[in-house]
């Protein structure tokens, strides 16, 4: 395989309306951005412009996987933990920041044949770490040819 420079870059974004803490699948919305980009082979960089939600690739067939992830992270980073001083927006404020740092705010996914190259059971999710609903901005940058 011969390396070739990316000769096309496209960038677009969208807003995700979270329902509060939990997961919102955004695979199709990112796929639409990739399709509209015209890139056949390359990568899609997906980035959240926030510090209290994250992005991840996870199992998309069985919702109990995401339920288990939520319970595990709640145990690891509990709301209202006395160790946190940053709590101006409530007991979930600092834990949401820690959760986002641990789980990440960006992803890079290969693009092949003009589509996201994901595994059979993989979906892309916004993971809201705050208890209340929020509007989350996502930027998708697609590079390739």
């Amino acid at each position: 395989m011969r390396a070739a420079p990316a000769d096309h870059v496209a960038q677009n974004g969208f807003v995700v309306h979270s329902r509060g803490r939990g997961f919102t699948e955004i695979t199709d919305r990112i796929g639409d951005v990739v399709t509209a980009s015209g890139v056949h082979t390359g990568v899609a960089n997906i980035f959240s412009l926030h510090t209290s939600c994250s992005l991840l690739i996870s199992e998309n067939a069985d919702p109990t996987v995401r339920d288990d992830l939520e319970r595990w992270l709640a145990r690891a980073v509990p709301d209202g933990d006395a160790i946190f001083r940053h709590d101006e927006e409530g007991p979930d404020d600092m834990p949401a920041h820690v959760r986002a740092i641990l789980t990440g705010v960006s992803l890079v996914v290969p693009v092949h044949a003009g589509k996201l190259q994901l595994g059979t059971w993989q979906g892309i999710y916004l993971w809201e770490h705050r208890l209340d609903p929020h509007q989350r901005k996502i930027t998708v940058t697609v590079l390739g040819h």
Side-chain angles (χ1 to χ4, degrees):
M1 180 183 292
R2 186 172 80 80
D7 58 8
H8 186 78
V9 177
Q11 189 173 73
N12 207 331
F14 55 88
V15 174
V16 177
H17 301 276
S18 78
R19 295 177 302 277
R21 184 169 286 165
F23 295 86
T24 303
E25 187 167 7
I26 58 174
T27 310
D28 290 343
R29 294 184 74 181
I30 295 165
D32 291 344
V33 173
V34 169
T35 299
S37 76
V39 169
H40 186 267
T41 303
V43 294
N45 177 276
I46 305 108
F47 182 76
S48 166
L49 285 77
H50 303 279
T51 62
S52 55
C53 67
S54 54
L55 299 169
L56 74 151
I57 296 173
S58 183
E59 157 86 49
N60 67 356
D62 184 352
T64 62
V65 170
R66 294 180 299 281
D67 294 341
D68 289 345
L69 286 170
E70 186 63 58
R71 281 191 299 279
W72 176 82
L73 198 54
R75 181 184 293 169
V77 188
D79 292 335
D81 192 319
I83 195 172
F84 299 128
R85 292 188 298 161
H86 177 77
D87 62 0
E88 286 185 32
E89 296 179 28
D92 67 333
D93 193 358
M94 188 61 202
H97 296 305
V98 173
R99 290 169 177 221
I101 289 167
L102 291 175
T103 53
V105 298
S106 68
L107 300 168
V108 175
V109 178
V111 173
H112 179 74
K115 296 181 180 180
L116 291 168
Q117 190 173 25
L118 293 169
T120 301
W121 307 113
Q122 290 181 322
I124 301 172
Y125 294 86
L126 179 130
W127 192 355
E128 177 63 62
H129 300 303
R130 298 302 306 269
L131 293 170
D132 292 332
H134 284 79
Q135 292 185 29
R136 302 303 194 173
K137 295 177 185 173
I138 304 299
T139 298
V140 181
T141 306
V142 188
L143 301 100
H145 40 263

